Amino acid sequence: MPKPEKHVFICMQSRAAFHPRPSCSAKAGEVAEEFYAQLEKRKLFDKVAVSTSSCFGPCMAGPSVLVYPEGVMYGKVKKEDVAEIFDQHLQGEQPVERLVMSKMLWG
Amino acid sequence: MPKPEKHVFICMQSRAAFHPRPSCSAKAGEVAEEFYAQLEKRKLFDKVAVSTSSCFGPCMAGPSVLVYPEGVMYGKVKKEDVAEIFDQHLQGEQPVERLVMSKMLWG
């Protein structure tokens, strides 16, 4: 893998059903699948890396998606948002503001 | 979690024993434990985040540890190396050159 220009980390933390904090993994599987599908469709393997990750902390606002090197954190990401994140941010350098997590949680 | 100055991702990919690519997870568990132990010892929760991650690609040179925002990838990391990574890189801004992965694999 070449060093990517953008590296997307999707939280896939899973917790027991009775745990007081929710789990990104409950909804993040289809989000991760869509990131990989868009990566394949757009043939961006040399530019964008996609990984799954353990917990980032702001579980109440998940599924959480973190983009480096800029450290932009997205919250409540749905699979329908993924193409827009590619178009606007990963290929266009403009974070999708409506999905950027509150600075109270990551800032 | 505040946005960290440094975010460490430790590959914990696990594969079946007969898989042709080795698994970072075989040796990365104690590396991850040492990162969390050093984070606790040094009380750097506001500055350094540590997460575990899926595969980064250069499996033959694992365990792999990736530090953002700079995107420095370390290979063959041992638990004995972790304090040095904190001293020199995470707190000192100088990557530990002897552990930096070849540019053939990540560059």
Side-chain angles (χ1 to χ4, degrees):
Chain A
M1 183 190 280
K3 182 175 174 176
E5 294 174 33
K6 304 287 185 190
H7 201 147
V8 178
F9 293 90
I10 304 153
C11 176
M12 289 292 285
Q13 188 76 41
S14 180
R15 295 189 176 89
F18 54 80
H19 195 286
R21 304 181 80 170
S23 300
C24 282
S25 62
K27 299 178 181 174
E30 62 180 23
V31 174
E33 285 177 11
E34 184 65 16
F35 269 100
Y36 288 115
Q38 290 288 332
L39 189 64
E40 168 71 26
K41 178 182 174 187
R42 296 166 191 246
K43 308 293 184 204
L44 290 173
F45 303 109
D46 288 348
K47 177 173 177 175
V48 177
V50 177
S51 301
T52 58
S53 177
S54 61
C55 184
F56 299 136
C59 313
M60 304 305 289
S64 305
V65 173
L66 179 55
V67 181
Y68 275 109
E70 52 271 61
V72 167
M73 178 83 90
Y74 294 118
K76 297 187 184 299
V77 178
K78 297 182 177 68
K79 68 177 179 179
E80 293 78 9
D81 300 320
V82 174
E84 185 178 356
I85 293 172
F86 269 88
D87 286 340
Q88 192 169 318
H89 183 175
L90 304 178
Q91 297 186 269
E93 298 294 340
Q94 295 294 324
V96 180
E97 289 297 339
R98 68 182 180 80
L99 297 171
V100 172
M101 204 172 276
S102 161
K103 288 194 184 301
M104 296 274 291
L105 296 173
W106 183 265
Chain B
M1 185 191 280
K3 182 175 173 176
E5 294 173 32
K6 304 288 186 191
H7 201 148
V8 178
F9 293 89
I10 304 153
C11 176
M12 289 291 285
Q13 187 77 39
S14 180
R15 296 189 175 90
F18 54 80
H19 195 286
R21 304 182 79 170
S23 300
C24 283
S25 63
K27 298 178 181 175
E30 63 180 23
V31 174
E33 286 177 11
E34 184 64 16
F35 268 100
Y36 287 116
Q38 290 288 331
L39 189 65
E40 168 72 28
K41 179 182 173 187
R42 294 166 192 246
K43 308 293 184 204
L44 290 172
F45 303 110
D46 288 349
K47 178 174 176 175
V48 178
V50 177
S51 301
T52 57
S53 177
S54 60
C55 184
F56 298 136
C59 312
M60 303 306 289
S64 306
V65 173
L66 178 55
V67 181
Y68 275 110
E70 52 270 61
V72 167
M73 179 84 89
Y74 293 117
K76 297 186 183 299
V77 178
K78 297 182 178 68
K79 69 177 179 180
E80 293 79 9
D81 300 321
V82 174
E84 185 178 355
I85 293 171
F86 269 88
D87 287 341
Q88 192 170 318
H89 184 174
L90 303 178
Q91 297 186 268
E93 297 294 340
Q94 295 295 323
V96 181
E97 289 297 338
R98 69 182 178 82
L99 297 171
V100 172
M101 204 172 276
S102 162
K103 287 193 185 302
M104 295 275 290
L105 296 173
W106 183 266

